[in-house]
Amino acid sequence: MSGLKQTLRYTLSNGVLMRRGLVKTQTTAPPPQPPATVKLSTFAQSGDSFLQALGRLSSDTVVDLEGTVQTVNGFTQGRGSDGKSGYGIYNNKVIGFYNGTVSMVPGSSTDAATINALVTGDTNNFSLMRLGRGGSQATTPYFSGTLASTNQGSNYNGLILYYATNATVENSTILGFQGSSGFPPGETFPLNNYHSVNTLIRWVTVDGQGIGASGLGNNYCTSPLVQDSTFKNMGYGAGVTHYLTTDPTYERCTFSGNHLYGANFEKVSGTITLRNCTFSNNRYPMCVDTDGTSAVVNVYDPIWDGMNSGVPFKILRHNTYAFPAGNPSPPNKQNVSDFHIFQNGVEVTSSVLQVVTN
């Protein structure tokens, strides 16, 4: 967008770029507000590895990493009986982490051959970190820090929130995490919200650095809320993606430089809400498909490439859709009439929306 046209849409207030109507496009992150934490130095003993130190915990704990960088070797924790799942970090007494960086020692995984042998229909269940016990032992995870991927000779995921309730991820940076496709098993997630309820994600940057598949996966979730976050540079998939999730909401988020879509919604029910979000340099801003009940899609005051020069806001809706794939796939059941675009409180769907089909 040209500088002249941009100034017509924005105004400066106390040095902060804001929309007309004084709605900020993204708010400045305040200091994180973790629950009670316990400093790593208070329970780690001399000679302990990071995992050995965590193993000393006897009660639910959010661990304050005290600004340190901690590493683990391979996916040794929470191993599945079939050898096709595991985590670098999983301890049922660790509720979360605060104020530090976690990564895996480069080349320390012994599971590359297993992961690289996954085929269509499989899911990559290897992650650097799992928070959440799952099932009847549901926990309320918390994370505020940095996760950085390293080369393990295979794809893998970053942080998985596993069957969590009221989890919070805030003031965090998540970098890389190799993927190879926009669908399983090559689709991996730097941040994976899985079977969780009321997750809050805010002031988070997920940067796929060109190697990530899809930045945030909301899969089998209820009412995730994402605020003031950026999802960018996904080399294979979308900035954020959803599967069998209900009522997701995004506020003041940015989706940029992603190979496929800014935001992808599959089999999502209820209402999809995006407020004051920016879409830049994605193949399409959004994709919405379902073989079930059509979702209501409300997009409020979006910013997108070329909007001030007549370029429409594009939503991809495939003519046919099923996942797992049908043969042939049935007609897509997402209703175009359920797409709504608003600007400054007025619905402008008919003048700015272009539904793209294939």
Side-chain angles (χ1 to χ4, degrees):
M1 294 181 289
S2 71
L4 175 59
K5 291 179 179 178
Q6 200 167 7
T7 58
L8 292 176
R9 182 166 177 83
Y10 301 104
T11 183
L12 282 171
S13 177
N14 296 323
V16 178
L17 191 64
M18 307 177 77
R19 295 176 187 264
R20 288 197 302 260
L22 302 183
V23 179
K24 295 181 181 179
T25 56
Q26 198 166 95
T27 61
T28 301
Q33 298 178 332
T37 62
V38 176
K39 291 183 177 182
L40 177 63
S41 61
T42 64
F43 60 86
Q45 296 187 10
S46 178
D48 277 353
S49 68
F50 185 42
L51 292 182
Q52 288 172 331
L54 297 179
R56 298 185 183 281
L57 295 170
S58 59
S59 59
D60 291 354
T61 304
V62 176
V63 179
D64 182 349
L65 297 175
E66 303 175 81
T68 61
V69 176
Q70 299 295 329
T71 59
V72 294
N73 289 279
F75 305 100
T76 63
Q77 305 300 293
R79 299 285 301 189
S81 58
D82 61 358
K84 292 185 176 182
S85 61
Y87 311 99
I89 298 170
Y90 172 58
N91 180 311
N92 64 11
K93 297 302 181 184
V94 176
I95 304 302
F97 292 99
Y98 166 67
N99 185 27
T101 298
V102 179
S103 65
M104 187 172 288
V105 174
S108 61
S109 167
T110 60
D111 291 291
T114 297
I115 295 170
N116 292 333
L118 296 174
V119 298
T120 300
D122 292 334
T123 299
N124 187 325
N125 291 316
F126 291 85
S127 300
L128 171 61
M129 179 185 296
R130 168 179 159 181
L131 296 177
R133 287 187 288 259
S136 61
Q137 303 181 75
T139 51
T140 303
Y142 178 87
F143 184 82
S144 178
T146 299
L147 297 180
S149 70
T150 52
N151 187 355
Q152 301 301 327
S154 69
N155 301 336
Y156 69 110
N157 303 278
L159 167 62
I160 181 171
L161 304 172
Y162 188 82
Y163 284 84
T165 300
N166 299 323
T168 298
V169 180
E170 65 177 358
N171 299 70
S172 295
T173 300
I174 303 177
L175 302 172
F177 292 95
Q178 182 70 55
S180 59
S181 176
F183 54 88
E187 185 178 38
T188 52
F189 307 103
L191 179 55
N192 188 3
N193 189 30
Y194 183 71
H195 277 282
S196 297
V197 178
N198 296 332
T199 298
L200 173 60
I201 298 168
R202 57 188 179 183
W203 303 297
V204 171
T205 294
V206 180
D207 185 348
Q209 299 180 320
I211 65 172
S214 292
L216 165 64
N218 283 306
N219 299 308
Y220 307 95
C221 293
T222 300
S223 301
L225 173 59
V226 185
Q227 299 174 316
D228 302 291
S229 295
T230 297
F231 305 90
K232 62 183 181 178
N233 302 327
M234 297 301 149
Y236 299 93
V240 298
T241 191
H242 308 71
Y243 183 73
L244 286 173
T245 286
T246 302
D247 297 327
T249 298
Y250 290 82
E251 297 176 340
R252 302 175 303 278
C253 291
T254 298
F255 312 94
S256 66
N258 300 300
H259 178 69
L260 291 179
Y261 324 115
N264 180 48
F265 301 89
E266 298 181 56
K267 295 188 178 183
V268 173
S269 58
T271 302
I272 298 168
T273 304
L274 297 101
R275 294 189 179 94
N276 305 106
C277 291
T278 298
F279 303 83
S280 176
N281 196 30
N282 311 289
R283 186 177 300 180
Y284 297 104
M286 294 173 59
C287 178
V288 186
D289 292 322
T290 190
D291 55 7
T293 303
S294 180
V296 175
V297 181
N298 292 329
V299 183
Y300 300 91
D301 296 298
I303 298 172
W304 69 94
D305 297 327
M307 61 178 294
N308 288 332
S309 56
V311 175
F313 186 86
K314 296 178 181 180
I315 298 179
L316 177 64
R317 175 194 176 276
H318 292 96
N319 289 325
T320 60
Y321 172 80
F323 190 85
N327 188 21
S329 294
N332 196 330
K333 294 184 179 180
Q334 176 62 45
N335 297 326
V336 172
S337 60
D338 284 329
F339 294 149
H340 304 282
I341 313 295
F342 301 87
Q343 289 180 330
N344 298 316
V346 177
E347 182 164 3
V348 293
T349 306
S350 60
S351 61
V352 305
L353 175 64
Q354 179 183 344
V355 178
V356 181
T357 59
N358 66 338

